[in-house]
Amino acid sequence: MRIAFTALTAAAALAFAPTPASAQTQDAPTAPERLQSGDVEGGKARANGAIDRRLVTIERLETRVSDHPHVTDPHQRELLDELGRASAGLRALSADIAQATTIEELRDLVPKIATDFRVYLVVARKVHQVLGSDSVVAAGTRLEKMSESLAGRIDRAVENGVDASEAAAHLADMTAEFGQALAVGEPDAGTVLPLTAADWPDPAAAVLAQGRADLGDARRFLREARISFSEAVAPLREALGS
């Protein structure tokens, strides 16, 4: 008997791939005190650099969302729409900064690079958590098919007089563990999607932190479910001699 759990392993890996370093970057606006009198061009250059970094991050996020194998169509549309709006807004702000002629104008415009968009503190973290949540759901679909296959083999083994009680117990553990993964991981997408830059820090900081913790728990439950699946297969394979 051959029952592979590679699909579950791959889904777990996709759900919880390491968060890119860009998502950890702080949304720190160029400090107004750095915009000294007579430094208009220098202030513009620093502002453009901050905007360019965010635009590069947005492009990477758009690629990740577009290419992700498990993101749902509604979530993909919503994330890409938000990323597109952020990109357009930053480009418009860049144009306003380019037209500024005084330090006072820059002191009004430059902080908006961070406060009006929160690319790192909100948007990037939302993207990664939504993709992680959707990957948990995708893993659930695979696991359901795998567990149904294994349950059928256990039933046939019992019909043939084989003691499959140990395999059945591990299968029950696997089902419970992945149920827990879904319970904590699946809702995260719907929880974080409504967050906007204006929600930082309250309530966005707490909501995103809780979502990260929940996805961490889901990762642990997925790992335990994978182990239980392996432990269910082993005694059944031994009993059947294949």
Side-chain angles (χ1 to χ4, degrees), residues 46-178:
R46 289 191 292 274
N48 285 330
I51 289 174
D52 288 344
R53 287 191 295 275
R54 285 162 173 79
L55 290 174
V56 169
T57 296
I58 290 172
E59 289 176 2
R60 290 174 177 167
L61 291 171
E62 287 174 330
T63 298
R64 181 166 170 78
V65 172
S66 297
D67 295 345
H68 199 274
H70 301 307
V71 64
T72 67
D73 289 342
H75 291 168
Q76 184 182 68
R77 286 193 297 269
E78 189 165 348
L79 289 174
L80 290 177
D81 285 348
E82 179 171 0
L83 291 168
R85 290 193 301 271
S87 179
L90 283 166
R91 294 180 190 280
L93 179 57
S94 179
D96 291 339
I97 290 173
Q99 294 177 5
T101 58
T102 67
I103 290 297
E104 288 70 24
E105 288 177 292
L106 290 181
R107 285 175 175 163
D108 178 60
L109 292 170
V110 170
K112 295 180 180 181
I113 297 171
T115 60
D116 284 15
F117 300 97
R118 299 296 184 194
V119 171
Y120 302 118
L121 289 175
V122 177
V123 177
R125 293 167 71 181
K126 279 176 56 174
V127 168
H128 296 303
Q129 290 190 20
V130 170
L131 298 182
S133 179
D134 284 352
S135 292
V136 168
V137 176
T141 301
R142 288 191 174 92
L143 183 63
E144 182 179 8
K145 294 178 181 178
M146 293 161 66
S147 63
E148 289 174 354
S149 176
L150 180 56
R153 292 175 184 269
I154 290 173
D155 289 342
R156 288 193 294 275
V158 172
E159 291 172 358
N160 292 326
V162 175
D163 181 4
S165 56
E166 184 179 356
H170 288 305
L171 176 59
D173 289 341
M174 179 191 70
T175 303
E177 288 154 358
F178 199 82

